[in-house]
Amino acid sequence: MPERFAFQHRTVLKEEAVCLLLTDVHGVYVDCTLGGAGHSAHILDSLSPQGTLIAMDQDPQAIDNAARLLGRDPRLKLIQTNFEHLKSQLQACNRFPVHGLLFDLGVSSPQIDQAERGFSYQQDAGLDMRMNPENPLSAAEIVNHWSQEQIARILWEYGEERWSRQIARHIVQTRAKEQIRSTGALVQVIKEAIPAAARRNGPHPAKRSFQALRIAVNDELGVLRRALDQALECLAVGGRIAVITFHSLEDRMVKEKMRDWQGQCTCPPGLPICSCGKKTLAKIITTKPLLPTQTEVENNPRSRSAKLRVAEKI
């Protein structure tokens, strides 16, 4: 396989996200989650020669891939960083405020498909799951060294795994004999912890646990919360933020944050003077989240859980 295709990724909701994001083709935009560069490429195609795109990703493979595919475009600036550093990075390159911010959350297809990254429960490899390989915390560290209570908590909170306590207990019992170092070994432990009847229906028995571990390893919800707190401040008036989520925890956070920005009064009905202090900072463009078309889901099954929400600073 040619090297330039080593980071292939099927971009989700590409047309919809970019169409709603761009309000000024001469403006400055940020792809906070570069990934396979699908959204970035489409943004560049849509911008004028005076437009600018800043693309960020904490994964060095994503940056290298984009440098090969798009790096000669003078309108593009690539930054290897976690998007929780959004504000400081924009200030450092004198691009503050900007006209639009795009977040395409979750794990990218190349990270899943490259077995050695340790994200997939369908391929046996070292237990890793770090989006930034330089981060000290890995899935192996959590599985082999965190307490049973801590493991059960993240499986429940981040994976909504109903068998979280049983799985955590079985992990601790197994690692007491031998450390769990591979994705295949962890899948086997999870399967043994879940009753046979419960494994017969629904998704892969390890799906929720692997999601939970990935979120914990990369502090995905904490990072998203911190980035959203900065996002509106980074936008010029009339600028937009577009967020694509892939599971309910992310989507709930984005939905609640955009509602906060909209500033709906929470005072009891009939109160003569508003006392809650809510101010309208943004308007929601997508009353309901946009979903992939049936055609997109058929062509890319990983898109089926995607939701796009967009808000505009006022």
Side-chain angles (χ1 to χ4, degrees):
M1 181 180 291
E3 185 182 8
R4 65 192 180 95
F5 292 115
F7 205 91
Q8 287 185 326
H9 175 70
R10 288 184 138 181
T11 306
V12 175
L13 291 165
K14 179 172 67 175
E15 299 291 339
E16 296 89 339
V18 175
C19 178
L20 288 172
L21 179 72
L22 266 61
T23 56
D24 179 358
V25 295
H26 310 303
V28 179
Y29 294 86
V30 184
D31 185 348
C32 299
T33 48
L34 172 64
H39 285 117
S40 283
H42 194 42
I43 292 171
L44 288 172
D45 287 342
S46 304
L47 289 178
S48 75
Q50 291 74 44
T52 299
L53 174 64
I54 299 168
M56 302 177 176
D57 205 292
Q58 62 181 324
D59 190 332
Q61 290 188 17
I63 297 294
D64 291 345
N65 176 72
R68 290 192 297 269
L69 296 179
L70 309 172
R72 294 183 180 180
D73 194 317
R75 300 170 298 169
L76 174 67
K77 180 176 180 61
L78 298 172
I79 303 176
Q80 184 186 339
T81 188
N82 189 303
F83 59 68
E84 70 173 319
H85 306 302
L86 173 65
K87 181 180 176 181
S88 62
Q89 289 290 340
L90 293 179
Q91 290 174 327
C93 60
N94 295 315
R95 294 293 188 178
F96 187 92
V98 299
H99 298 87
L101 300 164
L102 173 64
F103 295 85
D104 180 8
L105 303 174
V107 65
S108 68
S109 295
Q111 290 169 333
I112 296 174
D113 294 337
Q114 294 174 15
E116 64 271 17
R117 300 297 297 270
F119 285 97
S120 177
Y121 48 79
Q122 296 177 323
Q123 303 180 77
D124 191 23
L127 196 53
D128 195 327
M129 301 192 191
R130 291 174 295 176
M131 293 180 181
N132 181 351
E134 296 181 0
N135 283 346
L137 182 63
S138 69
E141 175 70 20
I142 293 176
V143 167
N144 289 295
H145 298 288
W146 283 24
S147 70
Q148 180 175 320
E149 291 74 20
Q150 288 175 306
I151 294 172
R153 179 184 59 80
I154 65 170
L155 295 184
W156 173 251
E157 290 184 4
Y158 299 158
E160 298 175 305
E161 172 55 70
R162 61 178 296 199
W163 304 104
S164 58
R165 292 181 179 179
Q166 292 91 321
I167 293 171
R169 183 168 60 250
H170 204 61
I171 285 173
V172 171
Q173 291 171 347
T174 301
R175 77 188 192 194
K177 304 171 187 175
E178 183 178 7
Q179 289 208 334
I180 304 167
R181 298 191 178 277
S182 71
T183 55
L186 179 58
V187 167
Q188 186 59 37
V189 171
I190 293 169
K191 285 181 176 179
E192 291 172 356
I194 298 176
R199 299 199 306 265
R200 295 193 190 104
N201 300 310
H204 191 286
K207 179 179 180 179
R208 293 186 179 90
S209 295
F210 269 60
Q211 172 186 293
L213 286 168
R214 191 201 78 220
I215 291 172
V217 166
N218 298 286
D219 189 23
E220 292 178 34
L221 296 179
V223 167
L224 176 59
R225 185 179 298 107
R226 293 189 289 274
L228 290 175
D229 285 340
Q230 302 171 50
L232 205 64
E233 187 178 353
C234 293
L235 283 177
V237 173
R240 291 183 174 182
I241 173 173
V243 187
I244 301 172
T245 62
F246 288 87
H247 61 74
S248 60
L249 299 175
E250 293 172 337
D251 184 60
R252 191 179 307 130
M253 184 182 297
V254 173
K255 179 181 179 180
E256 291 174 355
K257 179 59 68 174
M258 289 185 175
R259 282 183 173 176
D260 285 345
W261 294 340
Q262 192 164 249
Q264 294 179 337
C265 179
T266 58
C267 293
L271 199 68
I273 300 176
C274 174
S275 61
C276 69
K278 292 281 187 178
K279 295 182 179 179
T280 302
L281 304 174
K283 63 180 179 180
I284 297 175
I285 302 300
T286 50
T287 307
K288 294 183 178 180
L290 291 184
L291 308 178
T293 63
Q294 185 61 37
T295 300
E296 180 170 8
V297 173
E298 290 173 356
N299 292 332
N300 180 15
R302 289 176 180 168
S303 71
R304 63 184 175 273
S305 58
K307 293 182 179 180
L308 169 64
R309 295 185 186 270
V310 182
E312 179 179 304
K313 185 172 182 177
I314 62 175

